[in-house]
Amino acid sequence: MKKIFLLCVALLVTVGSMSAQPAGTQRRSMNTIRKVELKDISMSDPYILADPQTKMYYMTGTGGRLWKSADLKTWEGPYAVAETDPTSWMGERPAIWAAEIHYYEGKYYFFGTFTNDNIIIEDIPNRYKIPRRASHVLVADKAEGPYRPMSNEPYTDEKLATLDGTLWVENGTPYMIYCHEWLQCVDGTMDMIKLTKDLSASKGKAKTMFKASEGPWSREMNYLGELTYGLPLGGQVTDGPFLFKTQTGKLGMLWSSWSEKRYTQGVAYSASGKLRGPWIHEQEPLNTGNQGHGMMFRTFEGKLLMCLHYQDEGAPRKPRLMEVDDSGDKIRIIGEYIPR
């Protein structure tokens, strides 16, 4: 996750790998719990839940740890909240990418991408050894966890590397929207699969919604001549889906890819108003300049904000908030939002 993979990803994988302990053990953060401002937190793929029950904001992302805040400015954490089964396909110390927390039907659900590097599902000649990587769902009774798997059965095809799963409910039916990783399929796809009512399993066959190359602004990963995992790999990325509806009822999706200006946030809209699409991509991205993997939430005061990560050259990724106008058929970025 959560979650574009350059040399800095190696550090993220290491951090994520330290975040899992055997199921049945209350996990504690290896970091000292502290209070800091949002601008001082380093995190990829941030996701914020405005919890209607506690009236608190909870933020997680790659690494799987949790931060909490009453005002979006000062945050307390990080807490390690995800517990996994070491006997499952995830292994003993899975990396956690692009974690999200959703409040659904009275419970809290942790959608995360888990990687077991000890299992190789495909060795692609002259390209990459694809590890066992997939989106999975954990559950808790409280926003602060602990989150545990409802089942160890995979939600997606075991032969595929999938990531960045997110939740969307259409006509009462929950779905997982996720990415088939470009490292394996070259032209990354955005896919969807139905979930059971309690989110404990998937059902039916997955369907492809669109390919990365369908985005008019999306470019090959090696477009700027940079390396991925130290290799000059070609291909186009689908990353970070987030579904939303505008105030006029238009169904849209935030998603990210590589562009002429590095990591980039784009948006597409469903012509049918349903997940089945077809999905029509905006010609120009919403955000450029090495920022993306966005999601949106409404503050307790009613303001619509987008949370994404950005990265200045040579610096770690950090969360950023943008104010959004969704009054029309398409969303519009108003500007950066600075919590006060």
Side-chain angles (χ1 to χ4, degrees), residues 163-229:
L163 67 160
D164 293 358
T166 191
L167 175 66
W168 183 252
V169 180
E170 184 170 281
N171 296 330
T173 299
Y175 290 81
M176 179 191 286
I177 314 302
Y178 62 94
C179 306
H180 182 189
E181 190 171 35
W182 71 281
L183 283 171
Q184 184 178 36
C185 65
V186 182
D187 192 356
T189 65
M190 198 67 73
D191 297 345
M192 57 185 268
I193 194 167
K194 288 183 180 181
L195 301 177
T196 57
K197 188 67 174 177
D198 64 357
L199 312 188
S200 64
S202 60
K203 58 182 182 180
K205 294 183 178 181
K207 298 180 180 178
T208 294
M209 304 166 80
F210 59 83
K211 296 180 178 181
S213 58
E214 294 177 32
W217 50 269
S218 177
R219 297 292 182 268
E220 290 262 348
M221 268 297 292
N222 59 10
Y223 181 82
L224 297 178
E226 298 183 357
L227 302 179
T228 304
Y229 289 141

Side-chain angles (χ1 to χ4, degrees), residues 292-320:
H293 208 290
M295 57 80 60
M296 294 189 293
F297 67 99
R298 203 168 290 278
T299 69
F300 298 121
E301 295 74 37
K303 190 181 298 292
L304 182 64
L305 299 181
M306 177 185 294
C307 181
L308 44 69
H309 72 237
Y310 73 99
Q311 184 177 28
D312 293 328
E313 186 172 355
R317 290 175 175 174
K318 290 180 174 291
R320 171 175 285 169

Side-chain angles (χ1 to χ4, degrees), residues 33-197:
I33 301 303
R34 60 194 191 277
K35 290 187 177 181
V36 299
E37 293 191 8
L38 181 67
K39 63 182 178 62
D40 296 320
I41 296 175
S42 296
M43 179 186 290
S44 293
D45 316 326
Y47 189 100
I48 294 177
L49 169 69
D51 181 27
Q53 302 303 305
T54 62
K55 301 301 180 183
M56 292 284 290
Y57 299 102
Y58 296 94
M59 179 172 65
T60 188
T62 285
R65 292 185 172 88
L66 186 73
W67 294 82
K68 60 182 180 179
S69 173
D71 59 7
L72 294 176
K73 180 181 180 181
T74 303
W75 294 81
E76 180 182 294
Y79 297 93
V81 295
E83 298 182 0
T84 58
D85 182 351
T87 66
S88 73
W89 64 265
M90 298 179 192
E92 292 187 358
R93 302 175 68 84
I96 303 176
W97 291 356
E100 303 183 358
I101 292 177
H102 297 263
Y103 182 69
Y104 168 78
E105 300 289 341
K107 290 183 178 292
Y108 297 86
Y109 293 88
F110 182 105
F111 281 61
T113 300
F114 299 86
T115 299
N116 184 346
D117 286 316
N118 292 321
I119 299 176
I120 301 300
I121 60 175
E122 186 177 2
D123 186 351
I124 304 175
N126 302 315
R127 186 166 177 83
Y128 200 69
K129 292 183 178 180
I130 308 298
R132 183 73 174 93
R133 176 177 294 138
S135 296
H136 205 84
V137 184
L138 286 60
V139 67
D141 293 323
K142 300 184 298 182
E144 296 182 28
Y147 291 88
R148 300 185 177 98
M150 293 169 280
S151 168
N152 286 329
E153 290 298 313
Y155 284 77
T156 57
D157 189 332
E158 296 180 66
K159 297 179 182 179
L160 305 182
T162 62
L163 67 160
D164 293 358
T166 191
L167 175 66
W168 183 252
V169 180
E170 184 170 281
N171 296 330
T173 299
Y175 290 81
M176 179 191 286
I177 314 302
Y178 62 94
C179 306
H180 182 189
E181 190 171 35
W182 71 281
L183 283 171
Q184 184 178 36
C185 65
V186 182
D187 192 356
T189 65
M190 198 67 73
D191 297 345
M192 57 185 268
I193 194 167
K194 288 183 180 181
L195 301 177
T196 57
K197 188 67 174 177

Side-chain angles (χ1 to χ4, degrees), residues 228-289:
T228 304
Y229 289 141
L231 301 172
L233 301 179
Q236 288 180 257
V237 174
T238 46
D239 210 24
F242 179 81
L243 282 293
F244 65 90
K245 279 192 175 181
T246 69
Q247 292 185 37
T248 63
K250 189 78 170 180
L251 178 63
M253 181 196 298
L254 299 177
W255 70 288
S256 296
S257 188
W258 202 250
S259 76
E260 295 176 358
K261 299 182 179 180
R262 299 175 63 82
Y263 195 52
T264 298
Q265 175 76 70
V267 63
Y269 295 94
S270 172
S272 67
K274 304 293 183 182
L275 289 175
R276 66 175 183 268
W279 288 87
I280 310 302
H281 299 267
E282 294 292 277
Q283 290 294 314
E284 299 296 330
L286 276 175
N287 308 88
T288 60

